[in-house]
Amino acid sequence: RSAQPVWSSLKRLAGIPSYLILLAKAMLAGVGVWIFLNWLPLFYRETYGWNLAASGFVGTFMVQVSTTMGIAAGGYWSDRLAVRETRNRMLLQSLSYLCAAPFLLLFLMQPGFAVASLSVFLFSMLRGTGQANENPVLCDVVEPRLRSTAIGFMNLGACFAGGIGVLLAGALKRDFGLSGVFAGISILFVIAGLLLLAGYHFFLARDVRRQEEAAAAYR
């Protein structure tokens, strides 16, 4: 069958509450992750007096390794939990983000290198655990012919929000410092986690059922 016009696809996606929650979550998380990735090396340089090479390596390596570990673990547990109930994927994503958020508050304590690195590691690992559920949940609520469009616009929203976040972090750095900016990211992840929890309780079961019916009709 021929593809639907883009505006028709977007209108249909806008009628899926669970997808709108995933989109909002992606934008909130995008702000936090982009700020973290872009400004963490400077935090190490300014706080511990390292050169740019060392700060850039540690600030990037720590985040990427822990996120990769979290994605691997998140994918495994997501599949195990989904055997019992498909909706558990969104629940796992919500709990991962809510558990990740408090670790960024450690930056308010002006931590030493060991504590700061532990905070970065645990936050990024839990964030990765949640991220592993993103596309599987999307496929549970969006019919096959709309999934590429849905993922594309979700990535667009996350990148756009992330770019704005990096800019705002630079403006806020003067008044709150990078420690305050990083701690503020925790608020975004709490909101994202609560949105996912609301979606799990109020919308997900209905949207999964509607997706299955639409997919069956499309065949």
Side-chain angles (χ1 to χ4, degrees):
R1 301 182 185 183
S2 60
Q4 290 186 335
V6 63
W7 292 115
S8 176
S9 298
L10 292 179
K11 182 178 179 180
R12 191 166 181 85
L13 290 172
I16 306 174
S18 295
Y19 174 71
L20 296 180
I21 287 174
L22 289 173
L23 178 61
K25 183 280 308 174
M27 294 179 72
L28 289 167
V31 172
V33 171
W34 279 49
I35 289 175
F36 217 53
L37 288 174
N38 283 274
W39 288 98
L40 187 60
L42 183 62
F43 170 83
Y44 280 119
R45 175 173 171 78
E46 292 183 347
T47 305
Y48 308 119
W50 298 354
N51 60 44
L52 284 176
S55 299
F57 174 77
V58 174
T60 303
F61 179 80
M62 186 73 66
V63 173
Q64 297 298 343
V65 168
S66 53
T67 300
T68 300
M69 293 174 61
I71 290 174
Y76 172 77
W77 284 109
S78 177
D79 285 342
R80 292 201 61 176
L81 293 172
V83 171
R84 302 177 183 176
E85 171 60 60
T86 300
R87 295 191 308 147
N88 287 339
R89 295 187 193 277
M90 183 175 276
L91 180 61
L92 176 60
Q93 189 176 24
S94 171
L95 295 178
S96 296
Y97 283 5
L98 291 174
C99 290
F103 289 106
L104 294 181
L105 296 178
L106 292 174
F107 281 96
L108 295 175
M109 303 168 55
Q110 298 182 341
F113 172 70
V115 174
S117 297
L118 180 64
S119 172
V120 171
F121 183 87
L122 293 175
F123 166 77
S124 299
M125 185 175 68
L126 287 166
R127 195 263 299 180
T129 300
Q131 182 183 336
N133 295 271
E134 189 170 88
N135 287 345
V137 173
L138 184 146
C139 290
D140 285 337
V141 300
V142 175
E143 59 194 88
R145 59 179 171 172
L146 296 176
R147 286 173 184 169
S148 293
T149 302
I151 292 173
F153 273 87
M154 190 165 66
N155 289 337
L156 173 65
C159 292
F160 177 79
I164 297 297
V166 172
L167 179 64
L168 289 177
L172 295 172
K173 176 180 178 293
R174 181 180 61 183
D175 296 324
F176 300 98
L178 286 176
S179 294
V181 171
F182 291 162
I185 295 173
S186 63
I187 299 174
L188 301 179
F189 272 79
V190 168
I191 295 173
L194 292 176
L195 281 175
L196 291 167
L197 196 59
Y200 168 80
H201 282 293
F202 298 114
F203 305 115
L204 188 57
R206 183 184 63 186
D207 289 338
V208 168
R209 184 170 60 253
R210 288 170 58 185
Q211 184 278 135
E212 292 172 346
E213 293 171 353
Y218 182 69
R219 296 193 193 98

